[in-house]
């Protein structure tokens, strides 16, 4: 049975931990508002750009002169999964859920006879992926010192990915991240990034009107495709940042409440032990006095 001194020390220790988790919750809540605003502001632009690129891709006839980012390599044997996670933990299952989605996608591709590699953005996925897919991480982008991801960081990742694609390191690239909805819901997403999937062309009633482009579609795509890769990665970074702070705020709130429950239980136990010790001393004093 723990002594009163040990129980008191444990109570003080849990109270110290509770102060830390409460402070972390407040910090995450303060950062969440700004991160949410950035994610929501970037989402319409990224979605619209992806739609425009996909629509333009459906209007051209793919040939040798077509941009490689839409024409592909002529094969789909080798796949690259870009896994975007946070660099820090203490955010519940946020990072784990993204890695699980990427792992499930990789296992599906491997079952189809494809070769799968990974590109890591954020360090939390690296250890897990190395355990399940040793030697399959071919690149990483460290974001430990990046407090607020900017477009230049996404551009650096996109340039590296495109260079690897054009040098024949892989045939298809997928982007894994968590789409932020609220502090409780961050949905893991796996989107095909390279090559671009052409949109389905509508026909008949309701089909879009004919549009002439100047310059032609292929010239526009040659300029937009690399930018689209960077924008989609930038969106993933913004969504992840908002999702991380939301998940961390929820996790620290739960930890703070759990610490409070533990303190209550320990204090009840401490009071019982203290009362038992006092009762024992009184019985000994009374017994001694009667013996005299």
């Amino acid at each position: 049975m723990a002594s009163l001194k040990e129980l008191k020390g444990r109570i003080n220790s849990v109270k110290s931990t509770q102060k830390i988790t409460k402070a972390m919750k407040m910090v995450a809540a303060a950062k969440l508002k700004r991160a949410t605003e950035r994610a929501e502001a970037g989402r319409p632009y990224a979605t619209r750009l992806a739609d425009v690129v996909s629509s333009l891709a459906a209007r051209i006839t793919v040939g040798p002169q077509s941009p490689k980012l839409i024409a592909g390599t002529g094969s789909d044997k080798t796949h690259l999964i870009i896994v975007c996670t946070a660099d820090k933990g203490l955010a519940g299952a946020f990072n784990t859920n993204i890695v699980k989605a990427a792992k499930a996608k990789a296992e599906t591709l491997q079952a189809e006879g494809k070769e799968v590699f990974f590109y890591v953005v954020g360090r939390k996925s690296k250890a897990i992926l190395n355990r399940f897919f040793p030697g399959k991480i071919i690149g990483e982008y460290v974001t430990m010192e990046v407090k607020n991801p900017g477009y230049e960081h996404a551009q650096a990742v996109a340039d590296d990915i495109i260079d690897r694609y054009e040098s024949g390191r892989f045939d298809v690239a997928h982007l894994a991240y968590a789409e932020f909805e609220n502090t409780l819901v961050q949905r893991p997403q796996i989107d095909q990034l390279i090559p671009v999937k052409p949109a389905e062309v509508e026909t008949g009633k309701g089909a879009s009107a004919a549009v002439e482009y100047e310059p032609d579609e292929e010239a526009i795509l040659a300029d937009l495709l690399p930018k689209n890769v960077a924008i989609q990665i930038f969106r993933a970074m913004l969504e992840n940042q908002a999702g991380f702070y939301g998940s961390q705020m929820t996790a620290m709130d739960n930890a703070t409440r759990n610490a409070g429950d533990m303190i209550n239980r320990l204090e009840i136990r401490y009071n019982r032990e203290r009362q038992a010790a006092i009762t024992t001393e009184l019985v000994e004093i009374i017994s001694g006095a009667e013996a005299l």
Side-chain angles (χ1 to χ4, degrees):
M1 185 178 294
S3 65
L4 291 176
K5 184 177 181 180
E6 290 173 342
L7 285 172
K8 192 67 174 177
R10 192 174 177 190
I11 290 170
N12 291 334
S13 177
V14 177
K15 284 183 177 179
S16 297
T17 302
Q18 187 184 44
K19 289 179 181 179
I20 294 171
T21 57
K22 188 174 182 179
M24 291 182 68
K25 173 194 170 184
M26 294 174 65
V27 170
K31 292 182 177 180
L32 174 63
K33 184 177 184 298
R34 174 60 177 159
T36 302
E37 290 174 351
R38 296 185 74 204
E40 291 177 346
R43 194 178 296 161
Y45 181 78
T47 302
R48 184 57 180 161
L49 180 59
D51 291 343
V52 168
V53 169
S54 183
S55 176
L56 285 171
R59 295 176 181 271
I60 68 171
T61 301
V62 177
Q65 76 285 358
S66 302
K68 192 175 180 180
L69 287 173
I70 189 171
T73 62
S75 172
D76 66 344
K77 183 68 176 175
T78 306
H79 290 246
L80 178 71
I81 301 178
I82 306 163
V83 185
C84 296
T85 60
D87 288 294
K88 299 177 182 179
L90 299 178
F94 175 76
N95 294 308
T96 304
N97 287 339
I98 298 173
V99 177
K100 280 183 178 178
K103 178 175 175 289
K105 180 66 174 180
E107 290 173 343
T108 300
L109 291 170
Q110 287 179 335
E112 296 172 357
K114 315 295 185 184
E115 188 173 11
V116 180
F117 294 98
F118 297 92
Y119 189 102
V120 175
V121 180
R123 68 185 185 89
K124 275 300 176 180
S125 62
K126 188 174 181 180
I128 303 174
L129 292 174
N130 267 329
R131 186 166 70 248
F132 289 104
F133 307 95
K136 293 296 184 178
I137 297 178
I138 62 172
E140 64 177 305
Y141 185 80
V142 179
T143 56
M144 273 296 289
E145 303 302 324
V146 180
K147 292 183 179 179
N148 293 307
Y151 179 72
E152 65 276 11
H153 303 113
Q155 185 68 66
V157 177
D159 290 343
D160 191 13
I161 296 296
I162 293 173
D163 287 344
R164 293 170 185 270
Y165 176 68
E166 292 181 343
S167 63
R169 299 288 299 277
F170 61 90
D171 302 311
V172 182
H174 308 272
L175 181 62
Y177 64 100
E179 185 177 39
F180 175 77
E181 184 169 326
N182 54 53
T183 57
L184 297 176
V185 181
Q186 301 88 32
R187 291 191 175 90
Q189 300 288 327
I190 306 285
D191 299 331
Q192 182 172 315
L193 189 63
I194 301 173
V196 172
K197 285 184 175 180
E200 294 184 4
V201 179
E202 296 180 3
T203 57
K205 186 178 180 180
S208 57
V211 178
E212 291 186 4
Y213 292 91
E214 182 65 34
D216 60 24
E217 290 93 336
E218 290 189 0
I220 296 173
L221 280 171
D223 182 62
L224 286 183
L225 286 170
K227 186 175 294 185
N228 181 59
V229 174
I231 287 295
Q232 300 310 320
I233 293 174
F234 185 39
R235 177 194 176 180
M237 287 181 169
L238 295 179
E239 296 277 358
N240 273 2
Q241 187 180 49
F244 170 76
Y245 287 131
S247 185
Q248 187 178 66
M249 187 182 76
T250 301
M252 291 301 101
D253 180 55
N254 291 335
T256 301
R257 284 191 273 109
N258 290 340
D261 293 339
M262 182 176 290
I263 290 169
N264 290 336
R265 291 195 299 269
L266 288 172
E267 285 181 341
I268 291 173
R269 183 179 173 187
Y270 174 83
N271 290 334
R272 285 177 178 173
E273 296 288 341
R274 184 169 175 271
Q275 187 61 49
I278 292 172
T279 302
T280 300
E281 289 179 1
L282 288 174
V283 169
E284 291 176 352
I285 292 171
I286 294 170
S287 298
E290 289 179 351
L292 293 174

